[in-house]
């Protein structure tokens, strides 16, 4: 079983069918979301045995979130419940399909997550990331879960999925991020997130300078703990850094509707394909060769492209990738 731990929330997405007239507010459509939530749903759709570990509201949005997990075949027995409202994220879709977010998080259910008992026997991997490791008091509970499960030999993965507007003290968060590295088997992050974590600013130093800074930072993070680091480069594909060297695969060309959930789909596809390679262990990932990584990254690129081709976080099913 692969356990995904983190927030479940509702994305409020502008309706493409009903663009606002001048002076009017946009029509918003509620969509189930949250990076960890999307990862869990994607794992279920790809055919992995997955469970979701979070705290979800008893309100109508919370019930809809649980329904989405169950319909995707995801185990919800590790989900805590609360009477607080569901977190909301306001999505702003740019002309190129990329999304920015504003959040309504004060007093919401997922912030009050508490450390659960030991994860079930048969848990092969634990995946964490996004807002859940930022917002207290839940962030400390998720951090404790990461450290506990790593130290009992569970394969651990992290996607920081930076939401800078939620991080009140960037320097403190970067320090905390570095403290997680020894407990990680796999780190996956976008180039934008890597640049932010390295202390760079978008556009500073030009594209080549930024990429050099990202690569140097990723190599230092690799030396601090993870068996491999996967960098997502949008339409330019994915790159892995591991003890065996560096491998890059190109992105899949597709007409982009939006990029919501694309990175979460990559998380799930990496875990699913690593499982197919019987590589859900630190030692196994560290020993993967270039051909193995080309297969794993290529699979993730195809899965993300399908997600980008449709509105919202709608990851593919296994049959779509087989086709």
């Amino acid at each position: 079983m692969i356990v995904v731990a983190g927030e479940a929330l509702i994305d409020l997405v502008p309706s493409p069918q009903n663009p606002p007239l001048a002076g009017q507010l946009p029509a918003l459509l509620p969509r189930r979301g949250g990076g960890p939530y999307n990862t869990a749903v994607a794992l279920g759709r790809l055919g992995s045995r997955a469970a979701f570990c979070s705290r979800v509201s008893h309100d109508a949005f919370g019930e809809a979130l649980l329904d989405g997990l169950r319909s995707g075949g995801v185990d919800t027995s590790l989900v805590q419940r609360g009477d607080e409202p569901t977190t909301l994220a306001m999505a702003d879709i740019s002309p190129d399909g990329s999304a920015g977010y504003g959040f309504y998080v004060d007093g919401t259910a997922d912030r009050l997550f508490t450390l659960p008992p030991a994860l079930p026997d048969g848990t092969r991997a634990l995946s964490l990331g996004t807002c859940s490791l930022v917002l207290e008091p839940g962030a400390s509970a998720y951090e404790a879960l990461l450290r506990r499960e790593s130290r009992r030999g569970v394969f651990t993965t992290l996607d920081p999925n930076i939401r800078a507007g939620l991080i009140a003290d960037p320097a403190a968060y970067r320090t905390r991020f570095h403290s997680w590295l020894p407990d990680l088997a796999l780190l996956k992050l976008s180039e934008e997130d890597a640049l932010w974590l390295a202390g760079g600013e978008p556009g500073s130093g030009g594209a080549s300078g930024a990429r050099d800074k990202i690569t140097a930072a990723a190599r230092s993070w690799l030396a601090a703990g993870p068996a491999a680091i996967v960098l997502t480069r949008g339409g330019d594909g994915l790159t892995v850094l591991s003890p065996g060297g560096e491998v890059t695969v190109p992105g899949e060309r597709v007409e982009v509707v939006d990029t919501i959930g694309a990175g979460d789909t990559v998380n799930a596809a990496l875990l699913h394909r690593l499982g197919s390679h019987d590589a859900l262990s630190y030692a196994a990932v560290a020993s993967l060769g270039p051909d193995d990584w080309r297969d794993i990254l290529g699979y993730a690129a195809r899965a993300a492209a399908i997600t980008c081709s449709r509105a919202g976080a709608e990851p593919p099913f296994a049959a779509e990738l087989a086709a």
Side-chain angles (χ1 to χ4, degrees):
M1 175 184 288
I2 298 172
V3 175
V4 184
E7 77 279 358
L9 52 81
I10 294 295
D11 287 324
L12 299 175
V13 182
S15 170
Q17 283 77 36
N18 297 291
L21 300 174
Q24 291 185 340
L25 294 173
L28 298 174
L29 302 176
R31 294 286 186 262
R32 292 176 284 230
Y37 180 90
N38 295 336
T39 297
V41 171
L43 278 166
R45 290 186 177 187
L46 292 175
S48 283
R49 185 167 171 248
F52 188 57
C53 182
S54 184
R55 190 169 188 275
V56 173
S57 176
H58 285 295
D59 65 16
F61 284 147
E63 293 300 330
L65 287 163
L66 287 181
D67 286 345
L69 291 166
R70 294 179 185 125
S71 66
V74 178
D75 185 327
T76 60
S77 61
L78 296 173
V79 174
Q80 305 165 19
R81 304 300 301 276
D83 292 329
E84 304 81 12
T86 296
T87 295
L88 302 178
M90 183 80 72
D92 180 22
I93 310 300
S94 299
D96 66 357
S98 61
Y101 296 91
F103 292 89
Y104 297 86
V105 297
D106 289 343
T108 53
D110 57 333
R111 293 190 68 168
L112 301 180
F113 174 81
T114 58
L115 180 66
L119 297 181
D121 291 340
T123 298
R124 303 179 67 198
L126 171 67
S127 173
L128 299 104
T130 317
C131 310
S132 55
L133 285 162
V134 174
L135 300 172
E136 296 289 6
S140 290
Y142 285 113
E143 181 178 282
L145 178 63
L146 167 65
R147 299 195 191 284
R148 186 188 74 191
E149 296 304 315
S150 170
R151 290 166 191 180
R152 75 183 190 98
V154 172
F155 183 84
T156 54
T157 75
L158 172 69
D159 176 10
N161 204 4
I162 299 299
R163 302 292 182 234
L166 292 176
I167 301 175
D169 187 340
Y173 180 86
R174 290 178 179 119
T175 298
R176 200 170 188 179
F177 164 76
H178 282 90
S179 79
W180 299 327
L181 295 173
D183 290 304
L184 296 178
L186 176 67
L187 172 64
K188 172 263 168 187
L189 69 173
S190 69
E191 284 192 311
E192 293 82 4
D193 290 347
L195 184 61
W196 187 92
L197 286 164
E201 295 294 333
S204 60
S208 62
R211 187 152 288 183
D212 288 345
K213 186 178 184 71
I214 290 164
T215 301
R219 286 176 177 154
S220 72
W221 300 335
L222 186 68
I229 295 177
V230 173
L231 291 166
T232 61
R233 304 182 185 276
D236 292 334
L238 300 93
T239 295
V240 64
L241 288 79
S242 74
E246 184 175 318
V247 175
T248 296
V249 300
E252 296 279 328
R253 297 303 167 192
V254 67
E255 185 174 341
V256 175
V257 174
D258 66 49
T259 62
I260 296 174
D264 311 324
T265 296
V266 169
N267 291 338
L270 290 172
L271 283 164
H272 179 76
R273 203 62 166 182
L274 284 168
S276 300
H277 282 257
D278 196 23
L280 288 177
S281 74
Y282 188 101
V285 166
S287 65
L288 289 171
D291 288 342
D292 299 316
W293 278 117
R294 288 187 190 97
D295 173 74
I296 293 163
L297 298 181
Y299 183 84
R302 293 193 299 276
I306 293 173
T307 301
C308 290
S309 72
R310 46 207 189 195
E314 287 295 337
F317 291 87
E320 293 177 275
L321 283 165

